[in-house]
Amino acid sequence: MKFIQNIGLILVVAGLVIFTAVPFLGTWQLESAQVEAATKDMHREVMVDLLAPMYGQSYGSPFAFIGDLNGYMEAHNDSLKAEEKWDQVIWDDYAFPLTKTASQGPVPAYPLLFLALSVGLTVLGGLLYILPLHRNETAGIKNDGIYFSSMKARGWLGMVTGTYLILFYVILYWYPEYLSNSVILVDPISQALSGGPASQWFLYGLVYTLAILVMGIRMFRKYRGNNYQTIRTVSVMFFQLAFAFLIPEILVLFNMPWHDFKNIWPLDYTFFYEYRIDGMVNSGALGMFMLVWGILLIVIGVPVITYFYGKRWYCSWVCGCGGLAETLGDPYRQLSDKSLKSWQIERYLVHGVLALAVIVTGVTLLNYFMKFGLLGQATDQLHSLYGFAIGSAFAGVIGTGFYPFMGNRVWCRFGCPLAAYLGLVQRFKSRFRITTNGGQCISCGNCSTYCEMGIDVRWYAQRGQNIVRSSCVGCGVCSAVCPRGVLKLENGEESGRINDLPIIIGNDSINLNT
């Protein structure tokens, strides 16, 4: 079995190397017909003339092609800005579509082959490594050697992995033109699902979904024998594959707005933006259902379901961000900071983001009903600023790229506005709690070590005090790793949920704080 796992590791490395090399394969050559097809009517004539010096030239790297393209665009726009001809400035970014359409060589000729050699080999290698894990071992969670692992304990492999993820996210969000060849790989899949060419977001969605599915299988192997963890993993795999990936693409195929039915404001911060509202309103009965469904989830669904089950129903069972954290990020859960200082920062930061989301959404809606008389041209700038700071930098680059540095729930702990909303309901009006049996606690610290949300669970367990924290996502791993059965996830009556007079066990036998 070790041989098979080694083969799997080799395939994973080979697949990642090919995936990393794909953006640089081939040549790039632009023609006027491609510019006409890729630009809007209002810009077509200007763009065809503007990029004429590039026609017929063959570029050996995307850097040279994109450099010339951006150079001509910036020179044109700068001259218009100097003359204050703001209405003639080309604000649209055509770098990605033009780089994609200009690509020539083996990748556009054989996209499925390169998809199989890159993403396919990575998935196959991952499965070959995962499936033999813990074979012929007794059921139970295995965390052997975590703090001696270069990958899982901030060693050099973890640093390389984190850096790779950060670079990928930076390029994906702000320089997608350099991934044009990578997007071409998934064009056939996008055509089959939605009837249109792929964007960088389709590539990301496919890779994201595959990561959850493959690493979900790892969860089955690691947590086998634990029904709660198995069912929870099946749930996040299903919601990501069906609701976040397949259904939105099929909606586009039927000329309906792209919509993730499980994504809830304020995590889905664009829900109340003009183009989203107009798109849903103008799409008939299904579009109106999307709008009403989204509002009902915000106003009724979140507080009611959270009252009965805590925030775990969403953060650990449904959410795509949580799904990636629980599967791909599981090897790094022990890296979360459990210090009091970290908790203080967490509370101020995550609730600050929630307040910011509420303010931005309120201003957006007010501006919408005032027919843009409040903000005018600044509307898009406000949205772009929020999207850059929260949706891209925090949720993407830091939220996922920092797994090997700060644990797997960085975004959920410090930045997710929906987690803050759910947490407020869970803390003050919910039946959910984690009960503890202090008399059985041996202070091994497993619960605190593997709490991905940075909660010092042992502190509560030693006192026999129920854990009622707004940050707790109810993943149940603290209960699963406890060797004495001290911790239990419960949905009981509200009375007695917060026990401020816990039993203290120490050198003076058993005392009750009164």
Side-chain angles (χ1 to χ4, degrees):
M1 289 301 168
K2 193 67 176 177
F3 174 76
I4 294 176
Q5 288 185 298
N6 289 335
I7 294 295
L9 287 176
I10 292 172
L11 293 180
V12 168
V13 173
L16 289 175
V17 169
I18 296 172
F19 182 79
T20 306
V22 160
F24 311 103
L25 300 179
T27 58
W28 285 261
Q29 186 170 327
L30 191 65
E31 302 296 341
S32 60
Q34 296 171 324
V35 178
E36 292 178 3
T39 52
K40 297 178 179 178
D41 293 341
M42 66 177 72
H43 300 144
R44 187 165 295 143
E45 185 176 349
V46 174
M47 290 289 291
V48 169
D49 293 337
L50 178 64
L51 301 178
M54 297 182 67
Y55 300 156
Q57 290 194 47
S58 181
Y59 294 86
S61 76
F63 299 103
F65 178 86
I66 295 168
D68 277 4
L69 178 64
N70 288 338
Y72 288 117
M73 293 291 297
E74 290 172 5
H76 173 76
N77 285 334
D78 288 344
S79 64
L80 293 174
K81 292 175 183 177
E83 299 172 10
E84 297 187 356
K85 297 180 180 179
W86 303 105
D87 59 329
Q88 298 181 33
V89 173
I90 301 175
W91 300 103
D92 297 83
D93 188 357
Y94 289 112
F96 172 73
L98 289 176
T99 305
K100 184 182 176 186
T101 193
S103 179
Q104 298 179 349
V107 175
Y110 307 102
L112 290 178
L113 173 62
F114 279 90
L115 180 64
L117 291 175
S118 56
V119 178
L121 280 184
T122 304
V123 170
L124 176 61
L127 291 175
L128 289 177
Y129 180 82
I130 289 168
L131 290 175
L133 284 175
H134 311 304
R135 186 180 177 87
N136 298 325
E137 295 181 8
T138 56
I141 299 172
K142 308 298 188 299
N143 285 315
D144 302 341
I146 279 183
Y147 282 100
F148 299 95
S149 169
S150 180
M151 175 63 81
K152 303 172 186 177
R154 298 192 183 100
W156 71 270
L157 273 179
M159 300 298 101
V160 169
T161 301
T163 303
Y164 185 90
L165 288 172
I166 291 171
L167 289 175
F168 175 75
Y169 270 88
V170 168
I171 296 171
L172 177 78
Y173 279 108
W174 298 304
Y175 306 100
E177 55 270 25
Y178 292 99
L179 292 176
S180 58
N181 268 4
S182 302
V183 176
I184 290 173
L185 297 181
V186 296
D187 262 341
I189 301 176
S190 179
Q191 291 285 354
L193 289 177
S194 66
S199 66
Q200 71 268 33
W201 304 119
F202 183 85
L203 169 68
Y204 178 50
L206 178 64
V207 172
Y208 197 104
T209 302
L210 288 174
I212 289 180
L213 295 179
V214 173
M215 294 302 286
I217 295 174
R218 174 189 173 276
M219 293 286 285
F220 296 151
R221 299 300 301 162
K222 179 179 178 181
Y223 293 92
R224 64 193 182 97
N226 190 306
N227 292 334
Y228 182 82
Q229 298 301 326
T230 299
I231 298 172
R232 188 171 68 93
T233 303
V234 169
S235 177
V236 296
M237 292 167 70
F238 167 75
F239 277 104
Q240 175 60 33
L241 177 62
F243 282 77
F245 185 65
L246 292 178
I247 292 177
E249 296 297 330
I250 294 172
L251 286 173
V252 174
L253 180 63
F254 289 100
N255 203 29
M256 292 292 173
W258 191 99
H259 189 75
D260 181 353
F261 286 95
K262 67 173 181 54
N263 210 2
I264 307 174
W265 178 90
L267 180 60
D268 180 12
Y269 61 90
T270 66
F271 184 80
F272 291 106
Y273 285 7
E274 175 200 8
Y275 74 93
R276 290 285 300 277
I277 294 178
D278 289 346
M280 289 184 284
V281 170
N282 297 328
S283 297
L286 182 58
M288 287 302 299
F289 173 76
M290 294 175 185
L291 181 60
V292 173
W293 170 262
I295 295 174
L296 288 177
L297 276 179
I298 298 164
V299 178
I300 299 176
V302 166
V304 170
I305 304 176
T306 305
Y307 170 75
F308 285 103
Y309 301 106
K311 65 192 288 186
R312 60 174 170 162
W313 75 270
Y314 188 80
C315 295
S316 285
W317 288 69
V318 174
C319 179
C321 300
L324 191 71
E326 293 293 347
T327 52
L328 181 66
D330 179 73
Y332 308 105
R333 64 171 52 248
Q334 69 279 355
L335 300 180
S336 62
D337 190 347
K338 278 78 176 180
S339 67
L340 181 60
K341 185 68 175 179
S342 176
W343 185 21
Q344 293 171 338
I345 294 172
E346 172 189 329
R347 287 183 292 170
Y348 284 110
L349 200 53
V350 74
H351 294 109
V353 173
L354 174 60
L356 179 62
V358 172
I359 293 171
V360 170
T361 301
V363 172
T364 296
L365 285 173
L366 182 60
N367 187 55
Y368 178 79
F369 289 116
M370 292 178 62
K371 300 187 183 300
F372 303 97
L374 179 63
L375 295 178
Q377 295 294 331
T379 304
D380 291 337
Q381 296 177 10
L382 176 66
H383 294 169
S384 298
L385 181 62
Y386 183 88
F388 171 84
I390 307 301
S392 301
F394 208 153
V397 177
I398 297 175
T400 304
F402 275 40
Y403 279 3
F405 300 94
M406 297 175 62
N408 59 326
R409 287 275 189 171
V410 179
W411 163 245
C412 309
R413 288 184 64 188
F414 299 99
C416 179
L418 180 56
Y421 174 25
L422 290 160
L424 288 173
V425 179
Q426 174 173 276
R427 175 64 179 81
F428 296 106
K429 195 64 178 177
S430 177
R431 297 162 61 95
F432 173 73
R433 84 293 304 267
I434 299 179
T435 59
T436 62
N437 181 353
Q440 292 292 319
C441 180
I442 58 173
S443 299
C444 67
N446 280 349
C447 51
S448 293
T449 298
Y450 297 105
C451 177
E452 60 193 354
M453 297 304 293
I455 301 173
D456 187 2
V457 181
R458 180 173 58 179
W459 189 91
Y460 295 90
Q462 289 172 330
R463 290 158 176 76
Q465 185 172 349
N466 291 346
I467 300 169
V468 182
R469 286 274 289 268
S470 61
S471 58
C472 177
V473 294
C475 67
V477 170
C478 59
S479 174
V481 297
C482 178
R484 302 278 291 175
V486 172
L487 305 162
K488 184 179 180 182
L489 282 67
E490 293 188 6
N491 301 309
E493 297 296 330
E494 279 194 84
S495 59
R497 175 171 176 260
I498 299 177
N499 53 338
D500 292 326
L501 303 174
I503 296 175
I504 306 297
I505 300 175
N507 293 332
D508 296 327
S509 187
I510 299 177
N511 294 322
L512 179 64
N513 282 355
T514 57

